[in-house]
Amino acid sequence: MQALHLGLRYEPCVTGDFREEPAYRIQAPVVNAAREHLSRPGHEVCNHAPSVRQVIHGRNAVLEAARAGRVIKVYRADGLGHDPRLDELARLVPVEVVPKDRLDSLAPGVNQGVAAELKPRREWTLDQLLKTNPSLLVALDSILDPQNLGAILRSAEVAGCDGALLPEHRSAPLSPAAVKASSGASELLPIAKVSGLPSAIVDVKRAGVWCVALDPRGEIPAWDFDFTQRVCVVVGGEGTGVHRLVKERCDARVRLPVVGHVASFNASAAAAALLYEVMRQRLPKLDHPDA
């Protein structure tokens, strides 16, 4: 009897609740073709589970991952023009030039002609992260949009964060879309998955780190809080914001005052604004370059 090894292709899920959708989805045309093949006599499915490789795309994201030592191999579409980023990639990791249609099948979407296969990401525990004596952390509460997730991680890395906390549930996965939106920052930041943010906040506070929730109805304007101390900034998702129990366990709630008719910034813009305020307070010379 002939065994059929399914050449399954996977694509990232870029929307929805992490508990409700897997991080990768088998593409429907492949499944339909397999079903048609299996309907013929004399075929059976091999029980071996397909291996899933983590593939990211986008020139900045791939380059940062390569600099961080996470890239196994880069796939580059033929016919690309000169780009210093491509030259640096060629010095850092093996590069295979492939036809554009093959690259598009490997990395669907706007891939900028570059994709990379990654080594497994280091899994950080919260305890391990706290033992690094972090000065600045960011915790994300129900950030379900991978674009927002990536953008916040990018802002966190730019602002000098020492790590990020992501809940195991109610969070967008670190999909290729999120990695690309982070411009590779997700490959540089230590990221700890936590079973629940309320209990994680308690552990962070025990480690001597102030926990501050970003809340449109917060009592303190962001610029009135002292962010020069060790602090964990907690950012909530669109619509829901930071959940009640998480806010109750934080030491303070700060707000970004607004003057327009819309009540608040979106999650990634608010996180960027607050993290810049943290950086401004820690680097006073940004206000007075000649000082």
Side-chain angles (χ1 to χ4, degrees), residues 71-84:
V71 171
I72 298 173
K73 186 177 184 179
V74 167
Y75 299 89
R76 169 182 169 177
D78 56 8
L80 295 182
H82 178 260
D83 186 331

Side-chain angles (χ1 to χ4, degrees), residues 117-200:
E117 181 182 353
L118 299 186
K119 300 174 185 177
R121 178 187 300 277
R122 173 178 174 177
E123 299 290 338
W124 287 79
T125 66
L126 179 57
D127 184 58
Q128 289 171 334
L129 185 55
L130 293 176
K131 284 180 178 177
T132 66
N133 195 33
S135 172
L136 176 60
L137 297 171
V138 61
L140 306 185
D141 185 5
S142 298
I143 303 295
L144 302 179
D145 185 327
Q147 300 294 327
N148 274 340
L149 173 61
I152 294 171
L153 293 177
R154 179 176 182 172
S155 296
E157 204 285 326
V158 168
C161 275
D162 299 303
L165 279 61
L166 294 184
E168 292 178 352
H169 306 294
R170 299 292 300 175
S171 174
L174 278 171
S175 64
V179 174
K180 185 172 185 292
S182 79
S183 197
S186 60
E187 307 311 300
L188 302 175
L189 271 177
I191 297 175
K193 293 287 188 70
V194 297
S195 58
L197 270 185
S199 58

